[in-house]
Amino acid sequence: MTMQFNDETFRGDYTYFNSETAINRFPFPFDQDTYMYSVNIEQHPGGPKGTPFEKMFDVDEHYVSEMKDREITLAEDPLRCQSLPHMELAGWDLLELIMVSKAKDYPDLFKLTRDGNDWHWVNKPLGIEKKFTFLAPTTLPCGPMEYITRQTQGDFALLHERDGNLWMDAGMVTSQADWSLDFDVGMNFFEWHAPVPKAKKMGVFDKALKFLLSVNQGQHYRRLNWTMTVNPRLDTSPENYHKWGPEKRTITPENVGQKQFLRVELQTFFRLPRSNALAFPIRCYLMNLEDIATKPKWGRRLHRVLRDIDPDLADYKGFAVNQEMIVNYLSQFDDGAPTSPGIFPES
Amino acid sequence: MKLALKVTEIEQLSPLVKRFRFEDPKGGSLPVFSGGAHITVEMPEGEIIRRNSYSLISDPYDGTAYEIAIRREDQGRGGSLYMHTKVSEGDEITVSAPSNLFQLDLRARKHVLIAGGIGITPFLSQLKQLDMELKPYELHYAARSRAEAAGIKLLPEAAHVHVHISEEGARMDLGAILDGQPLGTHVYTCGPDGLITAVADQAARLGWPKTSVHSEAFTAPPPGEPFEVVIASTGQTVSVKADQSLLEALEAAKVEVDYSCRGGACGRCHTKVTACDGRILHNDHWLSEGERAAQKDIMPCMSRFKGARLELDL
Amino acid sequence: MPNTEFSPSIDSRPTYTGLVSQGSAPAIMVADEAGAGALSDLATADASVMDNAHVVLVGCAASVLGDNAPRAVHETPDLDAATPLVSQLLNEARMGTQLYLAGSEGLMGHVSALATAAGMPLGEIQMEHRGSIARRMQCVHCKGITEGVTTDPFTCSHCGLTLFVRDHFSRRLGVFQGVCVDAETPGVVPETVEIQA
């Protein structure tokens, strides 16, 4: 295996770290010095070599540890993975999409051999080898969506299309930005987005839904979203808010650079063939302010974005209480120089 | 996404209907699909490319081939005639990836499928999917005569598959079909507008929720008088020939318009009209009566124009 | 007493438009004591609505319906006892069956969740809010449900956390969401207020 996987934790002692390679390929989400909601959609995959946009499902140095963290979360709370009965077929579609893509994109890590519906899957990083029958649920230890998403970084929502809307009828959600799958499963697009401030008034959701409904088989798309998290914690769920909430108040001017993380979601959209459902993977990338500031453009820009952001959004994204400390810390990296367009650092 | 395929089989199912089978020329696997999906077939003739959408009738989980069935429309603008007279086994043909505007609601406790004439096509893939997913269903297929009922050859003989031939006095009784179905049943209709309306009316009389009643009515665009449109952003004039749809003419002129069904059903090519001196001939199933009357919207895949000037917000 | 008017809120918060007779179509009606008044009003407006109606009363006696005699009445002591009965009625129901719910949000949320699971679209379920505006709240942390919540914040009857009352509502579970109010600053709890409509 060519890729090195970090031995690290996303809770407790928080030993998570980004190598220089990971810093260089971080999907910094701001393409300008200000931020407001937008649909900001691009075709996927596709992007400079080495970036997380290059492959269908990005695998990076955090893979093995993220999967261990998911296992811990699921053991404590199995309701983080849910699939309403009619979504099993979409689960198989997702399993196929991921296995086929990973085996093609990372041949030294994953291998898939198919003879009709007799499949043989090898996942070297996680030490898994499994022969099973495609579309036959009893041949896997759990449902197909759960099986494959225990082996794939990021959260997953599977959306059922009906009545001109999308319904979140299945998902695997263990690294979410403070929303509950167990509570939201079965909701339509407008219902599960209901708590998001301002966006409805701006018509963002109408446009986004219209776009999503028009995603066809064979066309895939992506967008970036972001929030702020104290400590490199994947499980910032409402379920455990009483456990991670207090950590939000441990930020000081001395530790903000290390403890305050920018949390980026690489969201992708795929139309699944047999179920006609939409797969909505939400991949989370974490990087602390200190590491972000190693790229002068990112340091300048993040300072400006967080300083000038709409107060409602600072509140919704959960960093209003620490905003002043964050902005003060970042100001040392902002000399007022102009920044270049686009998200990539100036190399 | 476009697929360059080879025509590997053509079969005359009835005097007016042919079945076509397309495979990857190198024997590769095609994207599988969901019951009720369609593909768009490109039919190049001289300078113009016609594109018609046809429901897939083959096994949705089988990637070895796509099959469609086409009824010859002698009064049409030439798409089905092209397929019937110009296409032979061994020819190359370009099709789109499958797309579905008529999917089964797999939550349903039971599925009732009602087909009229060539409207049987989307159900042929759906019932394969229903069998594989072990879902309870009944299919009702109405045709005037056995000779016209091209789908009979493709249907399994089963207790829940009912053929109603009106010439033989076996007319379809929608009241009897819909009455007393268990809560959670969904009904799907494909066929002539009259049948779709009749099923919707009957379901409404029986108190069925609207969201349990599905239909697909898309048809090929009709021919008509030639006309011109103006593109608002560029001032460019685009001429639409008698046997060409407005969408096809826009594509030929390199004006970008999004589309999917090309049959007035999906709403994807919905275009705003910025000026209209004349009458839009609406042929779609998408716009409401009010929108049609207002003449501020047009579905270029199906609709035409008669008058002095039509300017499109493109 | 008319249908309660709730203040406008987010898209996931249910609204109740009030009961309108669909004539003598087969019907299932579920109501608590306050909601039974809405059924009586419905029957007064159109007596035929009771011709083929199965009425399930929760925590009240058939006498609350007065002279409006439905085809069948079932009296149940509470929602838990009513659940298997309503499920059975839904299971045996045919397409075209109408569902009328009246009373508390907890009752309507719970029964509409049963009905949508049985294949009835939410938009087809008629609901009228009567009586207390107490909410059925689910603790997002321990998943325990606390019935009859009238204050914000309130104490989870299962895990004891102090929860604030959100308008975010799960139709699948028939509950509003309660989230720890002092997660970031344990012990710092805002003043308790009565929930408003």
Side-chain angles (χ1 to χ4, degrees):
Chain A
M1 285 187 277
T2 49
M3 199 178 289
Q4 291 294 313
F5 298 104
N6 299 353
D7 183 8
E8 59 192 359
T9 57
F10 298 86
R11 59 182 80 211
D13 55 359
Y14 293 113
T15 60
Y16 173 87
F17 66 98
N18 281 300
S19 70
E20 201 181 329
T21 310
I23 295 173
N24 287 331
R25 71 196 301 277
F26 184 72
F28 187 74
F30 305 108
D31 63 352
Q32 48 189 4
D33 290 353
T34 56
Y35 174 78
M36 204 4 141
Y37 294 129
S38 70
V39 180
N40 67 319
I41 284 165
E42 297 181 304
Q43 291 210 355
H44 183 79
K49 200 168 160 36
T51 63
F53 312 120
E54 192 189 357
K55 306 281 168 60
M56 292 273 268
F57 297 91
D58 182 43
V59 176
D60 67 6
E61 66 189 33
H62 307 296
Y63 177 48
V64 174
S65 295
E66 278 188 34
M67 293 301 97
K68 278 187 194 145
D69 192 71
R70 166 159 292 163
E71 208 178 310
I72 299 169
T73 303
L74 284 171
E76 286 173 359
D77 183 3
L79 296 178
R80 302 298 185 88
C81 177
Q82 302 237 8
S83 178
L84 300 184
H86 60 282
M87 296 303 280
E88 187 176 285
L89 186 60
W92 286 111
D93 277 333
L94 181 71
L95 175 140
E96 178 190 49
L97 177 70
I98 293 176
M99 285 189 178
V100 170
S101 304
K102 280 190 166 178
K104 182 171 153 280
D105 289 339
Y106 301 94
D108 55 334
L109 303 182
F110 306 97
K111 201 172 141 203
L112 179 66
T113 317
R114 291 187 284 178
D115 177 11
N117 280 344
D118 294 329
W119 290 26
H120 183 196
W121 167 246
V122 180
N123 178 336
K124 287 184 201 163
L126 296 183
I128 293 170
E129 185 178 346
K130 180 76 189 164
K131 287 182 175 155
F132 64 98
T133 308
F134 187 68
L135 298 178
T138 54
T139 62
L140 286 179
C142 55
M145 178 192 70
E146 180 176 348
Y147 184 76
I148 195 59
T149 57
R150 277 177 179 271
Q151 303 178 45
T152 310
Q153 288 163 278
D155 285 344
F156 288 81
L158 295 180
L159 314 179
H160 185 233
E161 178 174 340
R162 61 178 188 267
D163 311 335
N165 209 327
L166 292 169
W167 305 74
M168 187 159 43
D169 286 349
M172 165 69 92
V173 178
T174 63
S175 52
Q176 68 271 48
D178 204 6
W179 62 280
S180 165
L181 174 73
D182 180 47
F183 197 79
D184 288 1
V185 74
M187 288 190 185
N188 70 34
F189 192 78
F190 298 111
E191 288 169 348
W192 89 71
H193 282 114
V196 182
K198 285 183 186 267
K200 187 191 176 188
K201 235 185 199 161
M202 294 168 57
V204 170
F205 296 135
D206 295 305
K207 281 185 209 141
L209 176 63
K210 202 172 162 199
F211 169 80
L212 288 173
L213 289 171
S214 76
V215 171
N216 275 334
Q217 231 175 296
Q219 312 168 310
H220 324 303
Y221 298 91
R222 66 164 177 257
R223 70 182 286 261
L224 292 173
N225 197 8
W226 67 279
T227 186
M228 303 290 283
T229 303
V230 174
N231 289 331
R233 186 177 179 95
L234 287 175
D235 175 27
T236 50
S237 59
E239 277 84 354
N240 285 331
Y241 179 42
H242 56 306
K243 296 178 188 160
W244 57 266
E247 294 179 10
K248 270 178 73 177
R249 307 294 178 118
T250 60
I251 291 288
T252 64
E254 291 70 39
N255 68 18
V256 62
Q258 288 115 46
K259 277 175 87 85
Q260 180 65 60
F261 284 73
L262 174 61
R263 182 188 193 100
V264 177
E265 291 178 355
L266 171 57
Q267 308 178 339
T268 45
F269 312 97
F270 302 88
R271 176 72 71 174
L272 299 174
R274 296 168 189 79
S275 58
N276 206 38
L278 276 173
F280 179 35
I282 309 157
R283 171 67 186 277
C284 172
Y285 295 84
L286 292 163
M287 197 156 84
N288 65 16
L289 301 184
E290 207 170 72
D291 286 344
I292 289 171
T294 60
K295 305 292 174 193
K297 171 178 164 181
W298 290 354
R300 288 184 188 110
R301 179 165 289 168
L302 188 61
H303 172 246
R304 293 166 200 178
V305 167
L306 297 184
R307 180 191 60 198
D308 303 336
I309 194 164
D310 184 302
D312 284 353
L313 292 186
D315 204 38
Y316 172 62
K317 291 185 183 284
F319 66 93
V321 292
N322 295 320
Q323 188 174 10
E324 201 182 323
M325 265 186 284
I326 295 167
V327 171
N328 281 344
Y329 172 80
L330 287 171
S331 65
Q332 63 181 302
F333 305 107
D334 189 357
D335 54 6
T339 53
S340 61
I343 62 173
F344 298 108
E346 291 134 351
S347 51
Chain B
M1 190 166 79
K2 285 184 179 175
L3 305 164
L5 306 181
K6 194 170 143 185
V7 181
T8 54
E9 263 179 57
I10 300 176
E11 181 193 5
Q12 192 87 43
L13 291 174
S14 74
L16 287 177
V17 179
K18 278 184 177 177
R19 176 180 67 88
F20 296 81
R21 183 178 172 88
F22 308 139
E23 293 176 39
D24 182 273
K26 293 185 191 124
S29 193
L30 305 177
V32 296
F33 56 95
S34 49
H38 66 268
I39 51 172
T40 301
V41 179
E42 294 196 357
M43 295 169 280
E45 230 184 345
E47 287 173 10
I48 63 170
I49 301 179
R50 282 196 203 85
R51 293 183 179 88
N52 278 4
S53 295
Y54 297 103
S55 297
L56 288 159
I57 63 169
S58 43
D59 180 345
Y61 298 179
D62 178 5
T64 56
Y66 289 154
E67 294 189 13
I68 59 175
I70 301 179
R71 185 180 197 274
R72 197 179 80 214
E73 305 290 347
D74 292 324
Q75 306 307 314
R77 81 201 194 303
S80 66
L81 270 179
Y82 174 93
M83 292 299 292
H84 270 256
T85 58
K86 302 273 173 66
V87 175
S88 316
E89 288 178 5
D91 285 359
E92 289 215 341
I93 196 141
T94 302
V95 307
S96 69
S99 173
N100 200 341
L101 301 165
F102 194 45
Q103 73 175 101
L104 295 161
D105 189 333
L106 291 177
R107 297 171 310 151
R109 213 154 125 197
K110 183 176 175 186
H111 303 263
V112 176
L113 317 176
I114 300 177
I118 195 66
I120 188 67
T121 53
F123 297 127
L124 294 170
S125 65
Q126 285 187 345
L127 57 91
K128 290 188 179 91
Q129 184 165 34
L130 289 166
D131 280 333
M132 278 181 291
E133 301 297 324
L134 304 171
K135 302 286 183 196
Y137 71 91
E138 58 186 68
L139 171 80
H140 297 269
Y141 175 30
R144 255 191 297 271
S145 67
R146 237 160 240 283
E148 277 196 18
I152 289 183
K153 274 189 183 173
L154 304 171
L155 285 173
E157 280 207 29
H160 52 277
V161 173
H162 309 271
V163 179
H164 308 264
I165 305 291
S166 52
E167 200 181 68
E168 297 170 4
R171 286 184 61 88
M172 188 155 63
D173 180 350
L174 293 177
I177 292 170
L178 295 181
D179 197 14
Q181 294 288 357
L183 190 66
T185 302
H186 283 244
V187 63
Y188 309 81
T189 312
C190 185
D193 281 347
L195 178 67
I196 289 169
T197 312
V199 172
D201 288 350
Q202 183 64 51
R205 270 196 296 279
L206 293 168
W208 284 48
K210 274 203 178 73
T211 51
S212 306
V213 181
H214 313 268
S215 65
E216 180 161 71
F218 73 76
T219 44
E225 301 282 314
F227 61 99
E228 288 185 342
V229 294
V230 177
I231 308 306
S233 63
T234 59
Q236 180 188 1
T237 298
V238 175
S239 303
V240 186
K241 298 189 178 81
D243 59 353
Q244 202 180 20
S245 73
L246 169 55
L247 178 59
E248 286 163 351
L250 292 169
E251 286 170 339
K254 305 261 184 278
V255 179
E256 207 167 300
V257 188
D258 192 18
Y259 71 84
S260 175
C261 76
R262 307 183 77 92
C266 74
R268 199 77 64 78
C269 67
H270 193 157
T271 299
K272 288 278 170 201
V273 169
T274 41
C276 176
D277 177 8
R279 192 159 56 88
I280 298 174
L281 310 169
H282 295 288
N283 296 312
D284 60 276
H285 295 89
W286 179 258
L287 297 176
S288 66
E289 283 307 316
E291 286 171 318
R292 284 161 189 255
Q295 302 216 110
K296 293 208 161 107
D297 303 86
I298 187 169
M299 309 305 292
C301 68
M302 287 296 279
S303 300
R304 307 184 73 86
F305 176 70
K306 197 175 173 62
R309 182 180 165 87
L310 180 69
E311 191 185 86
L312 302 180
D313 182 19
L314 287 170
Chain C
M1 189 174 67
N3 189 20
T4 309
E5 292 238 8
F6 289 95
S7 359
S9 181
I10 59 176
D11 275 356
S12 52
R13 201 242 184 281
T15 52
Y16 312 100
T17 49
L19 305 183
V20 177
S21 169
Q22 302 300 304
S24 60
I28 301 168
M29 301 180 180
V30 187
D32 56 22
E33 189 161 12
L39 298 186
S40 297
D41 291 351
L42 180 70
T44 305
D46 176 8
S48 77
V49 75
M50 289 294 175
D51 290 355
N52 290 298
H54 282 261
V55 177
V56 178
L57 294 171
V58 180
C60 58
S63 56
V64 295
L65 292 175
D67 301 336
N68 307 297
R71 182 150 159 213
V73 192
H74 314 266
E75 296 172 0
T76 60
D78 54 34
L79 210 46
D80 281 346
T83 299
L85 185 59
V86 173
S87 294
Q88 192 194 338
L89 288 170
L90 287 166
N91 197 40
E92 289 163 358
R94 303 280 123 186
M95 289 298 281
T97 300
Q98 305 296 313
L99 182 61
Y100 301 89
L101 309 179
S104 71
E105 290 204 83
L107 177 139
M108 294 190 287
H110 177 69
V111 178
S112 59
L114 292 177
T116 50
M120 188 175 273
L122 188 76
E124 297 296 314
I125 302 171
Q126 295 210 36
M127 293 186 257
E128 179 159 332
H129 184 266
R130 294 270 182 123
S132 160
I133 56 165
R135 293 188 182 191
R136 191 163 177 253
M137 299 293 309
Q138 187 192 46
C139 172
V140 76
H141 311 289
C142 78
K143 311 287 180 184
I145 290 170
T146 305
E147 302 278 356
V149 172
T150 56
T151 64
D152 179 19
F154 70 100
T155 305
C156 174
S157 61
H158 302 266
C159 69
L161 284 174
T162 309
L163 308 177
F164 76 90
V165 172
R166 292 187 79 188
D167 270 358
H168 200 34
F169 184 86
S170 165
R171 299 184 195 273
R172 181 180 72 92
L173 302 167
V175 292
F176 286 94
Q177 191 175 57
V179 180
C180 184
V181 73
D182 57 344
E184 295 182 24
T185 50
V188 183
V189 174
E191 196 185 329
T192 303
V193 295
E194 290 287 312
I195 294 174
Q196 304 293 311

